[in-house]
Amino acid sequence: MKRTFLYLILVSLSGLGNFLFAEDGSRLWLRFSDVTVNEKLFSGVSGRTDVFAASEFAHAWSQMTGDELLTQKHIADNSLIFALAKDKVVRNMRLSTEMKKLGDEGFLIRTITYQNKKLTLVAANTDAGLLYGSFHLLRMIQTNTFSDQIKVVEKPAYDLRILNHWDNLNGTVERGYAGRSIWKWDELPAKLSPRYEAYARANASIGLNATVLNNVNATPDILTTEYIQKIKALASVFRPFNIKVFISINFASPKQLGRLPDADPMRPEVQKWWKEKVKEIYRAIPDFGGFLVKANSEGLPGPMDYGRTHVDGANMIADALKPYGGLLMWRAFVYEPGDDRAKLAYKEFIGFDGKFRDNVIIQVKNGPIDFQPREPFSPLFGAMKRTPVMPELQITQEYLGHSNHLVFLAPMWEEVLKSDTFAFGKGSTVAAVTDGTFVKTKTTAIAGVANIGDDINWTGHHFAQANWYAFGRQAWSHQITSKQIAEEWTSMTFDKSQQTTKSSIVNCQLSIVEILLSSHETCVNYMMPLGLHHIFAWDHHYGPEPWCDIPGARPDWLPKYYHNASKAGIGFDRTDKGSNAVSQYFSPLREQFNNIEACPEKYLLWFHHVPWSHKMKNGRTLWDELCYRYDSGVQQVREYQKLWDKLESEIDSQRFAEVQSRLRIQARDAVWWKNAILLYFQTYSQMPIPFDIERPVHELDDLKKIKLDMKHHN
Ligand code: GCW
């Protein structure tokens, strides 16, 4: 990493920019040309021209103001910068412990007074820190929080803040709902789409610093010499933006590509094959990040095919990466049949604690099953006390209405990251057991499965951009609140009212933030409240199919396995009388989850099989409460429609119409969910739907016939 010390911005204003862009969402939250710079606050702009961060700032600044920063015109200001750089103010700062604490990616932004001028100083130890500092400063200008009294000190919570693309080499995206892959493999390396740089800039602006280019269901082809050249081309676009490139690999590659008899990790030729392959990659891409591996999971090959273990497999590849500083991310998304699926990953991995090489990190999905609308955190967090573990979140909405539903995921991730595991006593949150506070590790990391495709607005739904944004912000700071993220994103993305009065922008933004912040709970309500899970339609996971039965399918791929509805009640008994999954949690959580009275109601049917007439905390029966929850989900979406329609005169017509149309789909889907679930479960509960609730408008038999033609891009 290049070492630099600081650069400086003395901000001034000369004329507002007048750029015209289509309102198609392609600019994401980086809509600099729409920013109105407060003239009173700025009195001069300059900066070091030899730093990439400064050129990024300049690029944004020129869009905001029409002013070419860092050109001849401002050269005079540079003398002030150089004087300051030599001054003891800066010398002292450079040596300060505060600077040291910033590490390789942190920064500080501070208002200082120098030669009777108020200056805004961005300082960091590296180019990367300056880049993040610049984008932070820009964000302050974009969100109107810039002032002449700034004191910001930031450094990232995790070393690696990484997107996982489930993009296939044929251009499809597994669980992708925003068009095809942005990687145009056929055109690479010769042709570089301008989207690559825009992607890197967007990531850098929210602090993301790494990417896994291809699907964890990986084909060996990604390791061919031809693809290495393509990866190299992408890496060189991303490098200035401090984004490291990783790839997913197929464990059987030595067999398939290297024509070895097998891929047994104990076979010397296999070990040699990996060493040579890794060497070839690093020759092409010296700062290559490493590999992500899904092994012995959902039919993919792995060390267990040869009677070996995850440790054998992971360590063998880690050894090949080690000389180059490469990292191996090994996924714990495994569920060999045999027990309650929620227990399987823990059971398979817990015995390996402390046995992996120090350049291995175990990647664990946030919940024990699979990215459900709501899950308790995976018990592997905190349980692996001598093994680095990284959370994997899913930004793409596989189980949350694809790109049709408006669901802001920051509150869900905040709930996960702030959950207390009690692994090291009170306060050992999922964040704290993965960010190096408790488990000493060389590298800490957090991954998000990307929702990006080649749609013009990147993410299908305009509001799904907020989830990409939120992942970056939470990966940078797991203490930031969802509210802050929602406010930032909204004020950067819906920054220009058609009426252009200040109060109308503010009102519009307030409505959007209100929608964002409640939207996850709303979706949980109309899909799977009170701890219900995995009652989705087969394969594409879009609509409801609690009745789904596919002869011969694995039982734990079918909804009935999870809801267990009968005349007696509903829910999965994971107490000590049932599968005892509760025992995988630390005290006092295991006792709390085990006890039906103490178990948080949001997880009730996750941990308990509950009689329909069970009394909830509010006095209702379980059945009535389910009915009210589903209904309130529907009502909430209708509220969003009303709030949105009221904004018509405020929002550009294209984004307004596109969001409006998807809200209509969401409202129809919410009704579909409510009707399907209540009518189906009513055949078990045999209780009436409370009479003040809007009646179902479908017949159960008709709903059962719905078969969506949605290809699972695999
Ligand atoms: O939830 C499942 C998805 C698969 C996915 C798998 C995984 C990439 O349905 O599409 O495969 O999880 O995370 O490996």
Side-chain angles (χ1 to χ4, degrees):
M1 197 171 300
K2 203 170 141 200
R3 295 269 154 191
T4 39
F5 173 58
L6 83 130
Y7 87 106
L8 172 82
I9 298 163
L10 322 163
V11 195
S12 91
L13 183 85
S14 55
L16 285 177
N18 190 19
F19 288 69
L20 283 178
F21 287 95
E23 298 294 357
D24 54 15
S26 58
R27 290 182 293 157
L28 295 164
W29 48 87
L30 299 175
R31 301 161 52 86
F32 297 118
S33 58
D34 291 348
V35 175
T36 311
V37 178
N38 181 346
E39 300 196 29
K40 288 198 200 90
L41 288 173
F42 301 104
S43 62
V45 176
S46 194
R48 275 179 50 175
T49 48
D50 56 342
V51 175
F52 183 72
S55 65
E56 278 298 300
F57 186 87
H59 176 75
W61 183 258
S62 68
Q63 288 185 49
M64 289 194 283
T65 62
D67 185 10
E68 289 296 316
L69 171 64
L70 310 174
T71 56
Q72 282 302 95
K73 192 161 134 205
H74 291 286
I75 216 81
D77 291 336
N78 278 337
S79 58
L80 191 65
I81 297 172
F82 291 126
L84 177 67
K86 287 197 200 109
D87 195 281
K88 67 175 186 314
V89 180
V90 159
R91 235 182 356 217
N92 290 344
M93 186 191 274
R94 188 197 291 255
L95 300 171
S96 66
T97 45
E98 189 180 25
M99 280 304 293
K100 289 206 184 89
K101 279 200 213 140
L102 295 179
D104 274 351
E105 294 186 306
F107 59 84
L108 60 82
I109 309 179
R110 179 166 306 157
T111 311
I112 60 169
T113 307
Y114 187 68
Q115 293 183 2
N116 286 330
K117 287 203 168 74
K118 278 216 159 155
L119 311 180
T120 307
L121 180 75
V122 181
N125 295 315
T126 63
D127 279 7
L130 287 180
L131 188 62
Y132 299 130
S134 296
F135 279 114
H136 191 101
L137 179 59
L138 286 168
R139 186 184 309 123
M140 294 178 91
I141 300 172
Q142 287 175 278
T143 56
N144 265 319
T145 51
F146 183 83
S147 76
D148 60 0
Q149 289 170 42
I150 300 181
K151 199 168 188 320
V152 173
V153 184
E154 294 253 349
K155 65 181 213 174
Y158 293 97
D159 301 329
L160 267 188
R161 305 170 297 280
I162 186 164
L163 285 179
N164 285 186
H165 288 268
W166 285 358
D167 294 23
N168 299 312
L169 304 188
N170 66 5
T172 57
V173 181
E174 180 151 350
R175 310 305 179 183
Y177 315 105
R180 291 173 63 81
S181 171
I182 46 167
W183 317 131
K184 303 298 167 203
W185 293 109
D186 295 347
E187 300 174 354
L188 283 163
K191 190 167 164 209
L192 295 173
S193 149
R195 275 242 155 163
Y196 303 154
E197 186 181 295
Y199 162 87
R201 176 172 297 115
N203 282 336
S205 77
I206 51 177
L208 295 175
N209 67 355
T211 182
V212 181
L213 298 173
N214 61 318
N215 192 352
V216 286
N217 291 328
T219 57
D221 287 349
I222 190 80
L223 287 173
T224 56
T225 303
E226 188 191 345
Y227 271 93
I228 293 171
Q229 289 311 311
K230 296 172 194 282
I231 299 163
K232 177 182 173 179
L234 288 174
S236 47
V237 178
F238 300 161
R239 190 167 294 114
F241 293 92
N242 195 43
I243 292 171
K244 246 191 205 321
V245 166
F246 290 72
I247 56 171
S248 298
I249 53 109
N250 182 299
F251 196 81
S253 300
K255 186 172 161 202
Q256 312 236 350
L257 280 187
R259 299 184 192 282
L260 294 178
D262 59 39
D264 182 351
M266 293 305 176
R267 181 189 279 278
E269 299 95 295
V270 169
Q271 297 167 359
K272 187 161 167 261
W273 188 88
W274 281 109
K275 287 205 165 105
E276 278 168 9
K277 190 44 84 180
V278 168
K279 190 170 168 194
E280 181 188 347
I281 298 174
Y282 277 91
R283 216 182 300 124
I285 313 161
D287 55 356
F288 180 71
F291 298 143
L292 170 62
V293 188
K294 171 174 175 179
N296 291 120
S297 163
E298 299 189 328
L300 278 133
M304 283 143 87
D305 301 349
Y306 310 101
R308 314 294 183 192
T309 66
H310 288 290
V311 175
D312 300 330
N315 286 352
M316 182 260 307
I317 300 182
D319 286 342
L321 290 163
K322 178 97 186 170
Y324 310 94
L327 182 74
L328 183 69
M329 297 172 286
W330 191 268
R331 289 174 96 227
F333 179 65
V334 293
Y335 53 104
E336 279 303 295
D339 200 342
D340 169 7
R341 175 165 165 192
K343 289 165 65 184
L344 295 171
Y346 179 103
K347 279 176 72 173
E348 217 172 300
F349 273 80
I350 196 71
F352 299 137
D353 191 17
K355 301 213 164 85
F356 292 99
R357 299 279 193 265
D358 65 359
N359 59 333
V360 176
I361 185 162
I362 305 301
Q363 183 164 315
V364 176
K365 288 189 182 182
N366 59 277
I369 295 205
D370 190 14
F371 297 139
Q372 295 302 291
R374 169 172 275 136
E375 296 190 37
F377 66 85
S378 162
L380 272 172
F381 293 116
M384 306 268 281
K385 293 196 163 157
R386 289 169 298 136
T387 306
V389 167
M390 60 187 283
E392 176 180 324
L393 309 172
Q394 195 182 40
I395 310 169
T396 191
Q397 291 168 236
E398 173 180 356
Y399 294 99
L400 288 143
H402 298 185
S403 55
N404 283 338
H405 293 199
L406 189 168
V407 188
F408 181 50
L409 300 175
M412 174 169 88
W413 299 330
E414 185 177 358
E415 180 175 294
V416 173
L417 292 168
K418 292 184 177 167
S419 291
D420 203 339
T421 69
F422 293 92
F424 299 85
K426 201 167 166 11
S428 347
T429 57
V430 171
V433 300
T434 51
D435 73 356
T437 306
F438 290 107
V439 183
K440 289 297 155 222
T441 67
K442 273 173 90 171
T443 309
T444 59
I446 184 165
V449 180
N451 61 350
I452 299 163
D454 70 356
D455 275 4
I456 187 74
N457 70 9
W458 299 86
T459 55
H461 198 305
H462 288 283
F463 277 70
Q465 296 178 357
N467 292 330
W468 177 8
Y469 182 86
F471 172 69
R473 298 291 286 131
Q474 285 178 330
W476 179 275
S477 162
H478 49 53
Q479 292 313 305
I480 192 172
T481 63
S482 304
K483 181 159 182 276
Q484 187 182 334
I485 299 172
E487 285 169 354
E488 279 176 15
W489 178 80
T490 304
S491 101
M492 292 159 88
T493 309
F494 290 96
D495 50 354
K496 200 173 68 177
S497 161
Q498 298 210 343
Q499 308 198 335
T500 58
T501 68
K502 197 150 189 196
S503 69
S504 64
I505 301 176
V506 169
N507 284 334
C508 167
Q509 292 178 351
L510 283 175
S511 299
I512 292 175
V513 169
E514 186 182 330
I515 295 174
L516 284 170
L517 287 178
S518 57
S519 60
H520 173 248
E521 206 62 51
T522 294
C523 180
V524 169
N525 280 337
Y526 66 71
M527 281 187 184
M528 281 167 235
L530 302 176
L532 282 172
H533 51 292
H534 226 311
I535 52 179
F536 288 98
W538 176 254
D539 195 35
H540 55 66
H541 300 155
Y542 185 74
E545 235 175 55
W547 49 79
C548 174
D549 199 6
I550 308 264
R554 272 182 69 152
D556 58 1
W557 281 354
L558 296 171
K560 286 183 180 170
Y561 174 92
Y562 298 98
H563 65 64
N564 288 296
S566 68
K567 294 218 158 69
I570 182 171
F572 200 124
D573 186 356
R574 297 195 163 103
T575 67
D576 54 8
K577 312 245 163 13
S579 80
N580 205 18
V582 293
S583 67
Q584 294 181 338
Y585 291 91
F586 289 90
S587 281
L589 281 185
R590 70 163 68 127
E591 292 79 11
Q592 196 191 348
F593 292 156
N594 196 48
N595 174 348
I596 192 166
E597 298 306 328
C599 181
E601 287 187 339
K602 61 184 176 186
Y603 303 137
L604 186 65
L605 305 178
W606 185 281
F607 288 114
H608 296 268
H609 188 75
V610 184
W612 297 107
S613 56
H614 169 84
K615 260 227 157 53
M616 303 294 291
K617 296 206 170 85
N618 60 11
R620 288 182 183 143
T621 62
L622 168 65
W623 168 252
D624 280 1
E625 182 62 10
L626 265 185
C627 295
Y628 283 112
R629 291 288 179 121
Y630 277 98
D631 190 59
S632 80
V634 170
Q635 300 311 327
Q636 283 159 320
V637 179
R638 298 223 167 102
E639 273 313 303
Y640 300 161
Q641 290 187 282
K642 290 178 203 156
L643 279 167
W644 188 254
D645 283 358
K646 256 196 243 165
L647 300 179
E648 179 159 11
S649 58
E650 312 289 342
I651 290 173
D652 49 277
S653 53
Q654 185 176 349
R655 289 189 300 171
F656 175 79
E658 286 170 1
V659 171
Q660 184 186 52
S661 152
R662 292 201 186 208
L663 280 171
R664 287 177 181 154
I665 300 175
Q666 189 172 1
R668 290 198 294 272
D669 286 350
V671 173
W672 174 27
W673 270 98
K674 170 187 147 185
N675 288 191
I677 302 297
L678 295 186
L679 290 174
Y680 174 70
F681 287 146
Q682 195 178 31
T683 64
Y684 297 104
S685 79
Q686 302 188 323
M687 294 161 95
I689 294 172
F691 298 111
D692 54 341
I693 287 179
E694 212 176 279
R695 315 321 288 167
V697 291
H698 300 104
E699 298 297 337
L700 181 57
D701 285 343
D702 294 337
L703 294 175
K704 284 187 178 178
K705 283 185 210 133
I706 297 178
K707 286 276 167 253
L708 297 184
D709 182 24
M710 290 179 140
K711 291 269 167 302
H712 171 183
H713 299 302
N714 204 343

